[in-house]
Structures are given as structure tokens and as C-alpha cells.
PDB file of all heavy atoms in Angstrom:
ATOM      1  N   LYS Y   1     -13.561  12.670  -4.362  1.00 70.00           N
ATOM      2  CA  LYS Y   1     -12.478  12.500  -3.397  1.00 70.00           C
ATOM      3  C   LYS Y   1     -12.561  11.165  -2.672  1.00 70.00           C
ATOM      4  O   LYS Y   1     -11.578  10.493  -2.362  1.00 70.00           O
ATOM      5  CB  LYS Y   1     -12.536  13.662  -2.414  1.00 70.00           C
ATOM      6  CG  LYS Y   1     -12.060  14.966  -2.983  1.00 70.00           C
ATOM      7  CD  LYS Y   1     -11.926  16.062  -1.951  1.00 70.00           C
ATOM      8  CE  LYS Y   1     -13.281  16.595  -1.542  1.00 70.00           C
ATOM      9  NZ  LYS Y   1     -13.189  17.724  -0.611  1.00 70.00           N
ATOM     10  N   ARG Y   2     -13.814  10.742  -2.352  1.00 78.00           N
ATOM     11  CA  ARG Y   2     -13.972   9.434  -1.700  1.00 78.00           C
ATOM     12  C   ARG Y   2     -13.509   8.308  -2.610  1.00 78.00           C
ATOM     13  O   ARG Y   2     -12.893   7.327  -2.187  1.00 78.00           O
ATOM     14  CB  ARG Y   2     -15.423   9.248  -1.322  1.00 78.00           C
ATOM     15  CG  ARG Y   2     -15.869   9.998  -0.068  1.00 78.00           C
ATOM     16  CD  ARG Y   2     -17.157   9.471   0.480  1.00 78.00           C
ATOM     17  NE  ARG Y   2     -18.245   9.609  -0.463  1.00 78.00           N
ATOM     18  CZ  ARG Y   2     -19.040  10.686  -0.563  1.00 78.00           C
ATOM     19  NH1 ARG Y   2     -18.873  11.709   0.186  1.00 78.00           N
ATOM     20  NH2 ARG Y   2     -20.014  10.687  -1.498  1.00 78.00           N
ATOM     21  N   ALA Y   3     -13.804   8.390  -3.906  1.00 82.00           N
ATOM     22  CA  ALA Y   3     -13.395   7.367  -4.850  1.00 82.00           C
ATOM     23  C   ALA Y   3     -11.864   7.343  -4.952  1.00 82.00           C
ATOM     24  O   ALA Y   3     -11.263   6.247  -5.019  1.00 82.00           O
ATOM     25  CB  ALA Y   3     -13.994   7.658  -6.229  1.00 82.00           C
ATOM     26  N   ASP Y   4     -11.215   8.521  -4.985  1.00 83.00           N
ATOM     27  CA  ASP Y   4      -9.786   8.580  -5.017  1.00 83.00           C
ATOM     28  C   ASP Y   4      -9.175   7.954  -3.765  1.00 83.00           C
ATOM     29  O   ASP Y   4      -8.181   7.220  -3.860  1.00 83.00           O
ATOM     30  CB  ASP Y   4      -9.294  10.036  -5.182  1.00 83.00           C
ATOM     31  CG  ASP Y   4      -9.543  10.579  -6.591  1.00 83.00           C
ATOM     32  OD1 ASP Y   4      -9.872   9.823  -7.505  1.00 83.00           O
ATOM     33  OD2 ASP Y   4      -9.469  11.811  -6.713  1.00 83.00           O
ATOM     34  N   ALA Y   5      -9.752   8.288  -2.647  1.00 85.00           N
ATOM     35  CA  ALA Y   5      -9.262   7.720  -1.389  1.00 85.00           C
ATOM     36  C   ALA Y   5      -9.387   6.201  -1.380  1.00 85.00           C
ATOM     37  O   ALA Y   5      -8.432   5.511  -0.891  1.00 85.00           O
ATOM     38  CB  ALA Y   5     -10.040   8.318  -0.216  1.00 85.00           C
ATOM     39  N   GLU Y   6     -10.498   5.696  -1.843  1.00 89.00           N
ATOM     40  CA  GLU Y   6     -10.645   4.238  -1.894  1.00 89.00           C
ATOM     41  C   GLU Y   6      -9.637   3.565  -2.835  1.00 89.00           C
ATOM     42  O   GLU Y   6      -9.114   2.499  -2.523  1.00 89.00           O
ATOM     43  CB  GLU Y   6     -12.050   3.893  -2.306  1.00 89.00           C
ATOM     44  CG  GLU Y   6     -12.409   2.428  -2.297  1.00 89.00           C
ATOM     45  CD  GLU Y   6     -12.238   1.764  -0.897  1.00 89.00           C
ATOM     46  OE1 GLU Y   6     -12.391   2.486   0.135  1.00 89.00           O
ATOM     47  OE2 GLU Y   6     -11.883   0.573  -0.851  1.00 89.00           O
ATOM     48  N   ARG Y   7      -9.373   4.206  -3.968  1.00 91.00           N
ATOM     49  CA  ARG Y   7      -8.374   3.631  -4.905  1.00 91.00           C
ATOM     50  C   ARG Y   7      -6.999   3.626  -4.233  1.00 91.00           C
ATOM     51  O   ARG Y   7      -6.246   2.673  -4.402  1.00 91.00           O
ATOM     52  CB  ARG Y   7      -8.369   4.429  -6.151  1.00 91.00           C
ATOM     53  CG  ARG Y   7      -9.540   4.105  -7.118  1.00 91.00           C
ATOM     54  CD  ARG Y   7      -9.294   4.667  -8.512  1.00 91.00           C
ATOM     55  NE  ARG Y   7      -9.370   6.149  -8.532  1.00 91.00           N
ATOM     56  CZ  ARG Y   7     -10.487   6.831  -8.744  1.00 91.00           C
ATOM     57  NH1 ARG Y   7     -11.627   6.160  -8.935  1.00 91.00           N
ATOM     58  NH2 ARG Y   7     -10.523   8.147  -8.756  1.00 91.00           N
ATOM     59  N   ASN Y   8      -6.663   4.710  -3.557  1.00 91.00           N
ATOM     60  CA  ASN Y   8      -5.365   4.750  -2.886  1.00 91.00           C
ATOM     61  C   ASN Y   8      -5.258   3.693  -1.767  1.00 91.00           C
ATOM     62  O   ASN Y   8      -4.223   3.062  -1.617  1.00 91.00           O
ATOM     63  CB  ASN Y   8      -5.100   6.142  -2.277  1.00 91.00           C
ATOM     64  CG  ASN Y   8      -4.572   7.125  -3.298  1.00 91.00           C
ATOM     65  OD1 ASN Y   8      -3.989   6.731  -4.296  1.00 91.00           O
ATOM     66  ND2 ASN Y   8      -4.797   8.380  -3.042  1.00 91.00           N
ATOM     67  N   ARG Y   9      -6.370   3.517  -1.073  1.00 92.00           N
ATOM     68  CA  ARG Y   9      -6.384   2.487  -0.010  1.00 92.00           C
ATOM     69  C   ARG Y   9      -6.163   1.078  -0.609  1.00 92.00           C
ATOM     70  O   ARG Y   9      -5.353   0.290  -0.055  1.00 92.00           O
ATOM     71  CB  ARG Y   9      -7.687   2.511   0.708  1.00 92.00           C
ATOM     72  CG  ARG Y   9      -7.720   1.571   1.935  1.00 92.00           C
ATOM     73  CD  ARG Y   9      -9.083   1.720   2.691  1.00 92.00           C
ATOM     74  NE  ARG Y   9      -9.037   0.962   3.951  1.00 92.00           N
ATOM     75  CZ  ARG Y   9      -9.302  -0.348   4.057  1.00 92.00           C
ATOM     76  NH1 ARG Y   9      -9.563  -1.051   2.987  1.00 92.00           N
ATOM     77  NH2 ARG Y   9      -9.271  -0.890   5.269  1.00 92.00           N
ATOM     78  N   GLU Y  10      -6.760   0.808  -1.705  1.00 92.00           N
ATOM     79  CA  GLU Y  10      -6.605  -0.504  -2.328  1.00 92.00           C
ATOM     80  C   GLU Y  10      -5.225  -0.664  -2.878  1.00 92.00           C
ATOM     81  O   GLU Y  10      -4.646  -1.764  -2.845  1.00 92.00           O
ATOM     82  CB  GLU Y  10      -7.654  -0.679  -3.451  1.00 92.00           C
ATOM     83  CG  GLU Y  10      -9.088  -0.928  -2.960  1.00 92.00           C
ATOM     84  CD  GLU Y  10      -9.126  -2.109  -1.982  1.00 92.00           C
ATOM     85  OE1 GLU Y  10      -8.585  -3.175  -2.321  1.00 92.00           O
ATOM     86  OE2 GLU Y  10      -9.750  -1.984  -0.911  1.00 92.00           O
ATOM     87  N   ARG Y  11      -4.614   0.396  -3.388  1.00 93.00           N
ATOM     88  CA  ARG Y  11      -3.231   0.317  -3.899  1.00 93.00           C
ATOM     89  C   ARG Y  11      -2.307   0.026  -2.712  1.00 93.00           C
ATOM     90  O   ARG Y  11      -1.339  -0.714  -2.842  1.00 93.00           O
ATOM     91  CB  ARG Y  11      -2.882   1.654  -4.549  1.00 93.00           C
ATOM     92  CG  ARG Y  11      -3.582   1.892  -5.896  1.00 93.00           C
ATOM     93  CD  ARG Y  11      -3.389   3.268  -6.382  1.00 93.00           C
ATOM     94  NE  ARG Y  11      -2.006   3.553  -6.772  1.00 93.00           N
ATOM     95  CZ  ARG Y  11      -1.645   4.759  -7.206  1.00 93.00           C
ATOM     96  NH1 ARG Y  11      -2.490   5.759  -7.335  1.00 93.00           N
ATOM     97  NH2 ARG Y  11      -0.378   4.907  -7.558  1.00 93.00           N
ATOM     98  N   ILE Y  12      -2.559   0.676  -1.604  1.00 95.00           N
ATOM     99  CA  ILE Y  12      -1.710   0.391  -0.382  1.00 95.00           C
ATOM    100  C   ILE Y  12      -1.836  -1.050   0.037  1.00 95.00           C
ATOM    101  O   ILE Y  12      -0.845  -1.715   0.312  1.00 95.00           O
ATOM    102  CB  ILE Y  12      -2.107   1.383   0.741  1.00 95.00           C
ATOM    103  CG1 ILE Y  12      -1.745   2.826   0.353  1.00 95.00           C
ATOM    104  CG2 ILE Y  12      -1.433   0.988   2.045  1.00 95.00           C
ATOM    105  CD1 ILE Y  12      -2.391   3.877   1.262  1.00 95.00           C
ATOM    106  N   LEU Y  13      -3.076  -1.526   0.106  1.00 94.00           N
ATOM    107  CA  LEU Y  13      -3.288  -2.923   0.532  1.00 94.00           C
ATOM    108  C   LEU Y  13      -2.633  -3.931  -0.437  1.00 94.00           C
ATOM    109  O   LEU Y  13      -2.036  -4.911   0.008  1.00 94.00           O
ATOM    110  CB  LEU Y  13      -4.759  -3.219   0.697  1.00 94.00           C
ATOM    111  CG  LEU Y  13      -5.458  -2.507   1.859  1.00 94.00           C
ATOM    112  CD1 LEU Y  13      -6.992  -2.783   1.801  1.00 94.00           C
ATOM    113  CD2 LEU Y  13      -4.918  -2.959   3.211  1.00 94.00           C
ATOM    114  N   THR Y  14      -2.776  -3.657  -1.684  1.00 93.00           N
ATOM    115  CA  THR Y  14      -2.170  -4.522  -2.720  1.00 93.00           C
ATOM    116  C   THR Y  14      -0.671  -4.536  -2.580  1.00 93.00           C
ATOM    117  O   THR Y  14      -0.018  -5.628  -2.598  1.00 93.00           O
ATOM    118  CB  THR Y  14      -2.564  -4.061  -4.101  1.00 93.00           C
ATOM    119  OG1 THR Y  14      -3.983  -4.179  -4.265  1.00 93.00           O
ATOM    120  CG2 THR Y  14      -1.891  -4.955  -5.200  1.00 93.00           C
ATOM    121  N   ALA Y  15      -0.062  -3.390  -2.416  1.00 94.00           N
ATOM    122  CA  ALA Y  15       1.397  -3.344  -2.227  1.00 94.00           C
ATOM    123  C   ALA Y  15       1.835  -4.040  -0.977  1.00 94.00           C
ATOM    124  O   ALA Y  15       2.855  -4.736  -0.984  1.00 94.00           O
ATOM    125  CB  ALA Y  15       1.817  -1.846  -2.216  1.00 94.00           C
ATOM    126  N   ALA Y  16       1.120  -3.821   0.146  1.00 93.00           N
ATOM    127  CA  ALA Y  16       1.483  -4.442   1.377  1.00 93.00           C
ATOM    128  C   ALA Y  16       1.375  -5.928   1.309  1.00 93.00           C
ATOM    129  O   ALA Y  16       2.236  -6.644   1.845  1.00 93.00           O
ATOM    130  CB  ALA Y  16       0.593  -3.867   2.531  1.00 93.00           C
ATOM    131  N   ARG Y  17       0.288  -6.450   0.687  1.00 89.00           N
ATOM    132  CA  ARG Y  17       0.158  -7.920   0.544  1.00 89.00           C
ATOM    133  C   ARG Y  17       1.358  -8.493  -0.193  1.00 89.00           C
ATOM    134  O   ARG Y  17       1.894  -9.514   0.182  1.00 89.00           O
ATOM    135  CB  ARG Y  17      -1.129  -8.229  -0.202  1.00 89.00           C
ATOM    136  CG  ARG Y  17      -2.408  -8.030   0.573  1.00 89.00           C
ATOM    137  CD  ARG Y  17      -3.605  -8.578  -0.166  1.00 89.00           C
ATOM    138  NE  ARG Y  17      -4.844  -8.282   0.578  1.00 89.00           N
ATOM    139  CZ  ARG Y  17      -5.666  -7.280   0.206  1.00 89.00           C
ATOM    140  NH1 ARG Y  17      -5.388  -6.529  -0.828  1.00 89.00           N
ATOM    141  NH2 ARG Y  17      -6.779  -7.026   0.946  1.00 89.00           N
ATOM    142  N   LYS Y  18       1.749  -7.831  -1.270  1.00 91.00           N
ATOM    143  CA  LYS Y  18       2.873  -8.318  -2.078  1.00 91.00           C
ATOM    144  C   LYS Y  18       4.189  -8.327  -1.266  1.00 91.00           C
ATOM    145  O   LYS Y  18       4.916  -9.342  -1.229  1.00 91.00           O
ATOM    146  CB  LYS Y  18       3.052  -7.427  -3.328  1.00 91.00           C
ATOM    147  CG  LYS Y  18       4.272  -7.760  -4.142  1.00 91.00           C
ATOM    148  CD  LYS Y  18       4.391  -6.796  -5.313  1.00 91.00           C
ATOM    149  CE  LYS Y  18       5.676  -7.066  -6.130  1.00 91.00           C
ATOM    150  NZ  LYS Y  18       5.833  -6.124  -7.269  1.00 91.00           N
ATOM    151  N   LEU Y  19       4.471  -7.238  -0.565  1.00 92.00           N
ATOM    152  CA  LEU Y  19       5.704  -7.150   0.185  1.00 92.00           C
ATOM    153  C   LEU Y  19       5.713  -8.076   1.401  1.00 92.00           C
ATOM    154  O   LEU Y  19       6.730  -8.711   1.669  1.00 92.00           O
ATOM    155  CB  LEU Y  19       5.941  -5.679   0.629  1.00 92.00           C
ATOM    156  CG  LEU Y  19       6.218  -4.716  -0.516  1.00 92.00           C
ATOM    157  CD1 LEU Y  19       6.330  -3.290   0.008  1.00 92.00           C
ATOM    158  CD2 LEU Y  19       7.533  -5.095  -1.248  1.00 92.00           C
ATOM    159  N   TYR Y  20       4.621  -8.124   2.106  1.00 89.00           N
ATOM    160  CA  TYR Y  20       4.531  -9.035   3.280  1.00 89.00           C
ATOM    161  C   TYR Y  20       4.689 -10.454   2.856  1.00 89.00           C
ATOM    162  O   TYR Y  20       5.332 -11.266   3.547  1.00 89.00           O
ATOM    163  CB  TYR Y  20       3.200  -8.846   4.004  1.00 89.00           C
ATOM    164  CG  TYR Y  20       3.048  -7.570   4.783  1.00 89.00           C
ATOM    165  CD1 TYR Y  20       1.777  -7.028   5.002  1.00 89.00           C
ATOM    166  CD2 TYR Y  20       4.140  -6.882   5.253  1.00 89.00           C
ATOM    167  CE1 TYR Y  20       1.568  -5.851   5.679  1.00 89.00           C
ATOM    168  CE2 TYR Y  20       3.961  -5.679   5.984  1.00 89.00           C
ATOM    169  CZ  TYR Y  20       2.680  -5.150   6.197  1.00 89.00           C
ATOM    170  OH  TYR Y  20       2.524  -4.034   6.905  1.00 89.00           O
ATOM    171  N   ALA Y  21       4.028 -10.826   1.712  1.00 84.00           N
ATOM    172  CA  ALA Y  21       4.107 -12.255   1.301  1.00 84.00           C
ATOM    173  C   ALA Y  21       5.536 -12.659   0.920  1.00 84.00           C
ATOM    174  O   ALA Y  21       5.938 -13.771   1.168  1.00 84.00           O
ATOM    175  CB  ALA Y  21       3.181 -12.459   0.088  1.00 84.00           C
ATOM    176  N   SER Y  22       6.259 -11.745   0.306  1.00 82.00           N
ATOM    177  CA  SER Y  22       7.637 -12.135  -0.149  1.00 82.00           C
ATOM    178  C   SER Y  22       8.718 -11.843   0.862  1.00 82.00           C
ATOM    179  O   SER Y  22       9.759 -12.524   0.843  1.00 82.00           O
ATOM    180  CB  SER Y  22       7.969 -11.379  -1.483  1.00 82.00           C
ATOM    181  OG  SER Y  22       7.887  -9.957  -1.243  1.00 82.00           O
ATOM    182  N   GLU Y  23       8.486 -10.843   1.719  1.00 83.00           N
ATOM    183  CA  GLU Y  23       9.584 -10.421   2.620  1.00 83.00           C
ATOM    184  C   GLU Y  23       9.283 -10.606   4.080  1.00 83.00           C
ATOM    185  O   GLU Y  23      10.163 -10.468   4.918  1.00 83.00           O
ATOM    186  CB  GLU Y  23       9.886  -8.941   2.346  1.00 83.00           C
ATOM    187  CG  GLU Y  23      10.251  -8.590   0.901  1.00 83.00           C
ATOM    188  CD  GLU Y  23      11.548  -9.278   0.421  1.00 83.00           C
ATOM    189  OE1 GLU Y  23      12.400  -9.572   1.276  1.00 83.00           O
ATOM    190  OE2 GLU Y  23      11.665  -9.528  -0.792  1.00 83.00           O
ATOM    191  N   GLY Y  24       8.008 -10.855   4.449  1.00 82.00           N
ATOM    192  CA  GLY Y  24       7.663 -10.891   5.861  1.00 82.00           C
ATOM    193  C   GLY Y  24       7.192  -9.503   6.392  1.00 82.00           C
ATOM    194  O   GLY Y  24       7.082  -8.576   5.644  1.00 82.00           O
ATOM    195  N   LEU Y  25       6.994  -9.433   7.685  1.00 84.00           N
ATOM    196  CA  LEU Y  25       6.364  -8.259   8.290  1.00 84.00           C
ATOM    197  C   LEU Y  25       7.395  -7.163   8.631  1.00 84.00           C
ATOM    198  O   LEU Y  25       6.960  -6.080   9.091  1.00 84.00           O
ATOM    199  CB  LEU Y  25       5.656  -8.636   9.555  1.00 84.00           C
ATOM    200  CG  LEU Y  25       4.516  -9.641   9.422  1.00 84.00           C
ATOM    201  CD1 LEU Y  25       3.817  -9.806  10.752  1.00 84.00           C
ATOM    202  CD2 LEU Y  25       3.478  -9.167   8.386  1.00 84.00           C
ATOM    203  N   ASP Y  26       8.681  -7.313   8.353  1.00 85.00           N
ATOM    204  CA  ASP Y  26       9.683  -6.291   8.697  1.00 85.00           C
ATOM    205  C   ASP Y  26       9.733  -5.163   7.689  1.00 85.00           C
ATOM    206  O   ASP Y  26      10.468  -4.233   7.846  1.00 85.00           O
ATOM    207  CB  ASP Y  26      11.075  -6.932   8.818  1.00 85.00           C
ATOM    208  CG  ASP Y  26      11.186  -7.858  10.015  1.00 85.00           C
ATOM    209  OD1 ASP Y  26      10.422  -7.620  11.016  1.00 85.00           O
ATOM    210  OD2 ASP Y  26      12.048  -8.776  10.036  1.00 85.00           O
ATOM    211  N   ILE Y  27       8.914  -5.234   6.631  1.00 88.00           N
ATOM    212  CA  ILE Y  27       8.901  -4.198   5.621  1.00 88.00           C
ATOM    213  C   ILE Y  27       8.398  -2.908   6.274  1.00 88.00           C
ATOM    214  O   ILE Y  27       7.421  -2.918   7.026  1.00 88.00           O
ATOM    215  CB  ILE Y  27       7.916  -4.621   4.466  1.00 88.00           C
ATOM    216  CG1 ILE Y  27       8.532  -5.810   3.713  1.00 88.00           C
ATOM    217  CG2 ILE Y  27       7.695  -3.435   3.501  1.00 88.00           C
ATOM    218  CD1 ILE Y  27       9.899  -5.516   3.041  1.00 88.00           C
ATOM    219  N   SER Y  28       9.033  -1.819   5.939  1.00 93.00           N
ATOM    220  CA  SER Y  28       8.676  -0.511   6.552  1.00 93.00           C
ATOM    221  C   SER Y  28       7.466   0.087   5.871  1.00 93.00           C
ATOM    222  O   SER Y  28       7.105  -0.280   4.726  1.00 93.00           O
ATOM    223  CB  SER Y  28       9.849   0.477   6.420  1.00 93.00           C
ATOM    224  OG  SER Y  28      10.045   0.807   5.063  1.00 93.00           O
ATOM    225  N   MET Y  29       6.783   0.978   6.585  1.00 93.00           N
ATOM    226  CA  MET Y  29       5.668   1.709   5.993  1.00 93.00           C
ATOM    227  C   MET Y  29       6.077   2.501   4.778  1.00 93.00           C
ATOM    228  O   MET Y  29       5.370   2.654   3.796  1.00 93.00           O
ATOM    229  CB  MET Y  29       5.030   2.583   7.026  1.00 93.00           C
ATOM    230  CG  MET Y  29       4.397   1.862   8.218  1.00 93.00           C
ATOM    231  SD  MET Y  29       2.823   1.080   7.820  1.00 93.00           S
ATOM    232  CE  MET Y  29       1.689   2.424   8.180  1.00 93.00           C
ATOM    233  N   ALA Y  30       7.320   3.065   4.812  1.00 94.00           N
ATOM    234  CA  ALA Y  30       7.840   3.823   3.675  1.00 94.00           C
ATOM    235  C   ALA Y  30       7.993   2.913   2.455  1.00 94.00           C
ATOM    236  O   ALA Y  30       7.688   3.352   1.342  1.00 94.00           O
ATOM    237  CB  ALA Y  30       9.163   4.433   4.063  1.00 94.00           C
ATOM    238  N   ALA Y  31       8.417   1.662   2.645  1.00 95.00           N
ATOM    239  CA  ALA Y  31       8.571   0.780   1.542  1.00 95.00           C
ATOM    240  C   ALA Y  31       7.203   0.444   0.928  1.00 95.00           C
ATOM    241  O   ALA Y  31       7.063   0.317  -0.313  1.00 95.00           O
ATOM    242  CB  ALA Y  31       9.281  -0.518   1.989  1.00 95.00           C
ATOM    243  N   VAL Y  32       6.168   0.289   1.766  1.00 94.00           N
ATOM    244  CA  VAL Y  32       4.835   0.029   1.272  1.00 94.00           C
ATOM    245  C   VAL Y  32       4.361   1.220   0.490  1.00 94.00           C
ATOM    246  O   VAL Y  32       3.744   1.039  -0.620  1.00 94.00           O
ATOM    247  CB  VAL Y  32       3.893  -0.271   2.458  1.00 94.00           C
ATOM    248  CG1 VAL Y  32       2.429  -0.347   1.953  1.00 94.00           C
ATOM    249  CG2 VAL Y  32       4.298  -1.516   3.152  1.00 94.00           C
ATOM    250  N   ALA Y  33       4.585   2.442   0.954  1.00 94.00           N
ATOM    251  CA  ALA Y  33       4.146   3.610   0.202  1.00 94.00           C
ATOM    252  C   ALA Y  33       4.841   3.690  -1.173  1.00 94.00           C
ATOM    253  O   ALA Y  33       4.203   4.001  -2.163  1.00 94.00           O
ATOM    254  CB  ALA Y  33       4.494   4.905   1.021  1.00 94.00           C
ATOM    255  N   ARG Y  34       6.128   3.385  -1.231  1.00 94.00           N
ATOM    256  CA  ARG Y  34       6.845   3.416  -2.498  1.00 94.00           C
ATOM    257  C   ARG Y  34       6.290   2.352  -3.469  1.00 94.00           C
ATOM    258  O   ARG Y  34       6.050   2.658  -4.651  1.00 94.00           O
ATOM    259  CB  ARG Y  34       8.332   3.156  -2.275  1.00 94.00           C
ATOM    260  CG  ARG Y  34       9.111   4.309  -1.696  1.00 94.00           C
ATOM    261  CD  ARG Y  34      10.593   4.119  -1.821  1.00 94.00           C
ATOM    262  NE  ARG Y  34      11.046   2.892  -1.143  1.00 94.00           N
ATOM    263  CZ  ARG Y  34      11.429   2.888   0.145  1.00 94.00           C
ATOM    264  NH1 ARG Y  34      11.385   3.965   0.906  1.00 94.00           N
ATOM    265  NH2 ARG Y  34      11.860   1.749   0.683  1.00 94.00           N
ATOM    266  N   GLU Y  35       6.014   1.150  -2.929  1.00 94.00           N
ATOM    267  CA  GLU Y  35       5.478   0.110  -3.818  1.00 94.00           C
ATOM    268  C   GLU Y  35       4.080   0.472  -4.292  1.00 94.00           C
ATOM    269  O   GLU Y  35       3.756   0.170  -5.450  1.00 94.00           O
ATOM    270  CB  GLU Y  35       5.409  -1.225  -2.996  1.00 94.00           C
ATOM    271  CG  GLU Y  35       4.848  -2.391  -3.739  1.00 94.00           C
ATOM    272  CD  GLU Y  35       5.741  -2.906  -4.872  1.00 94.00           C
ATOM    273  OE1 GLU Y  35       6.992  -2.724  -4.731  1.00 94.00           O
ATOM    274  OE2 GLU Y  35       5.225  -3.552  -5.790  1.00 94.00           O
ATOM    275  N   ALA Y  36       3.314   1.154  -3.506  1.00 93.00           N
ATOM    276  CA  ALA Y  36       1.969   1.526  -3.855  1.00 93.00           C
ATOM    277  C   ALA Y  36       1.924   2.733  -4.746  1.00 93.00           C
ATOM    278  O   ALA Y  36       0.915   3.040  -5.419  1.00 93.00           O
ATOM    279  CB  ALA Y  36       1.115   1.785  -2.585  1.00 93.00           C
ATOM    280  N   GLY Y  37       3.019   3.484  -4.829  1.00 93.00           N
ATOM    281  CA  GLY Y  37       3.094   4.714  -5.617  1.00 93.00           C
ATOM    282  C   GLY Y  37       2.300   5.854  -4.967  1.00 93.00           C
ATOM    283  O   GLY Y  37       1.753   6.703  -5.676  1.00 93.00           O
ATOM    284  N   VAL Y  38       2.286   5.866  -3.636  1.00 92.00           N
ATOM    285  CA  VAL Y  38       1.605   6.975  -2.928  1.00 92.00           C
ATOM    286  C   VAL Y  38       2.595   7.621  -1.984  1.00 92.00           C
ATOM    287  O   VAL Y  38       3.628   7.062  -1.628  1.00 92.00           O
ATOM    288  CB  VAL Y  38       0.379   6.454  -2.117  1.00 92.00           C
ATOM    289  CG1 VAL Y  38      -0.614   5.745  -3.062  1.00 92.00           C
ATOM    290  CG2 VAL Y  38       0.810   5.558  -0.982  1.00 92.00           C
ATOM    291  N   GLY Y  39       2.246   8.838  -1.517  1.00 91.00           N
ATOM    292  CA  GLY Y  39       3.069   9.506  -0.561  1.00 91.00           C
ATOM    293  C   GLY Y  39       2.851   8.952   0.861  1.00 91.00           C
ATOM    294  O   GLY Y  39       1.836   8.339   1.142  1.00 91.00           O
ATOM    295  N   LYS Y  40       3.849   9.167   1.692  1.00 91.00           N
ATOM    296  CA  LYS Y  40       3.718   8.629   3.052  1.00 91.00           C
ATOM    297  C   LYS Y  40       2.526   9.264   3.781  1.00 91.00           C
ATOM    298  O   LYS Y  40       1.872   8.633   4.613  1.00 91.00           O
ATOM    299  CB  LYS Y  40       4.991   8.853   3.842  1.00 91.00           C
ATOM    300  CG  LYS Y  40       6.123   7.936   3.401  1.00 91.00           C
ATOM    301  CD  LYS Y  40       7.290   8.048   4.374  1.00 91.00           C
ATOM    302  CE  LYS Y  40       8.063   9.341   4.205  1.00 91.00           C
ATOM    303  NZ  LYS Y  40       9.273   9.340   5.058  1.00 91.00           N
TER     304      LYS Y  40
END
């Protein structure tokens, strides 16, 4: 479970980096979740 949690965390960070870099900080948390492929 800890390994799964860490993988999800890295997916969230990767998605947020991508969206913030291209769109700025106005991206919603929901958009980050969609990009990461995780639930809110």
C-alpha cells in the first residue's frame, strides 16, 4: 500500500508539473487528478 501511495503521489506531481508549466497556476485540482489518472 505504501508503494502504491508513492506511485500515485509521483503521478500527481508529474501531472501537476506538466500542467503548471504549460498553463500556469490556475489549473484546478480536478484537472491535475484527470491528468494523473487518479481520483480526486
Side-chain angles (χ1 to χ4, degrees):
K1 286 187 286 185
R2 284 196 299 270
D4 288 347
E6 184 59 29
R7 282 194 290 270
N8 277 336
R9 185 178 189 277
E10 287 304 314
R11 290 168 67 180
I12 292 166
L13 290 175
T14 298
R17 287 189 186 100
K18 176 183 176 181
L19 292 175
Y20 289 153
S22 61
E23 304 296 333
L25 298 184
D26 290 335
I27 293 298
S28 69
M29 296 284 271
V32 173
R34 287 194 299 271
E35 179 70 25
V38 304
K40 286 190 288 185

